[in-house]
Amino acid sequence: MPAIDLLGRRPRTSGGRPGTRSPARRAPWAASAYVAAVQSGAYILRPLPEADREAVLRAHSTNVDNLRAGRWHTLLTSAFLVERPLDPAYGAILLGVLGGAEAVWGSRRTAAVFAVGHLGASLLVYGGLRATDASKETRSAVDVGASYGLNAVLGAAAVSLPHRAARAVAAAGVLGLVVRPLVREGRTFTDAGHLAALLLGLGAGRTGAFTRG
């Protein structure tokens, strides 16, 4: 029986006929390179004195002060920096989710979903913090990492499963995981950003704007 991808379609060969995807299309090279870059950056910054490391992270954060000052490059650089080296479990999850999506959608579509989540959530959080007159500490907070993009890819993957019941269960599961921190004490603006990114991913997966060729 021909293989079926997460969208319920038969993969195509380079000649356009139903068949097996080429190894180059299946290999999650972009996800591997991205996770390696993030982890390498963390280890490069690790030996710095804490104050210097925090200054670097703050300068590349998508916080209110940076974006209001027009430092829009932080929307890109913030996705490649983390406060400390990735925990092995989190690193495996990040690589597994992004790599799995890349194997099904391809590198460009996966990167597009990731970017929609990272950029969209960062801008929505920025707008929300400006509208609520956030404190000085929050306006200059360190806000870096892959979590916004990861949540978007998770959302898109959940609603791209081939069966309706599986899509409903997966979507409810990831929503529950992301909403839970918002109803606890000590929640932060990044928790709202995670929800925004997930919703953007659910929308992208639902419409197929990035995940269907």
Side-chain angles (χ1 to χ4, degrees):
M1 177 180 292
I4 303 296
D5 68 12
L6 291 182
L7 298 174
R9 299 171 302 157
R10 293 182 180 182
R12 294 181 179 276
T13 62
S14 58
R17 296 186 300 276
T20 304
R21 294 183 190 271
S22 68
R25 176 64 183 274
R26 291 197 303 266
W29 64 270
S32 301
Y34 172 70
V35 174
V38 170
Q39 192 74 313
S40 297
Y43 278 109
I44 290 172
L45 293 178
R46 191 177 189 181
L48 295 178
E50 183 176 353
D52 294 342
R53 184 171 66 253
E54 184 173 331
V56 172
L57 295 172
R58 201 179 301 277
H60 291 280
S61 293
T62 52
N63 57 37
V64 174
D65 286 350
N66 280 336
L67 293 180
R68 187 163 56 185
R71 301 184 188 103
W72 300 108
H73 66 276
T74 61
L75 290 170
L76 173 63
T77 57
S78 60
F80 288 86
L81 293 173
V82 289
E83 295 184 57
R84 59 188 60 85
L86 299 175
D87 175 86
Y90 181 77
I93 291 171
L94 180 63
L95 181 58
V97 171
L98 299 186
E102 184 181 0
V104 175
W105 304 331
S107 303
R108 287 182 296 178
R109 292 191 180 99
T110 302
V113 175
F114 186 97
V116 164
H118 180 76
L119 298 176
S122 296
L123 292 173
L124 287 171
V125 168
Y126 166 65
L129 292 177
R130 288 204 64 177
T132 57
D133 193 23
S135 67
K136 180 179 179 180
E137 291 75 15
T138 300
R139 293 197 305 269
S140 62
V142 171
D143 188 13
V144 295
S147 58
Y148 289 171
L150 172 62
N151 275 279
V153 175
L154 272 174
V159 294
S160 296
L161 295 173
H163 301 293
R164 181 178 300 177
R167 290 195 297 269
V169 171
V174 293
L175 272 172
L177 288 173
V178 173
V179 168
R180 183 179 179 185
L182 286 169
V183 298
R184 69 183 181 187
E185 293 184 8
R187 58 185 174 271
T188 67
F189 66 87
T190 57
D191 295 324
H194 293 153
L195 177 59
L198 179 66
L199 293 175
L200 289 169
L202 289 171
R206 182 67 175 173
T207 62
F210 300 100
T211 58
R212 296 177 186 173

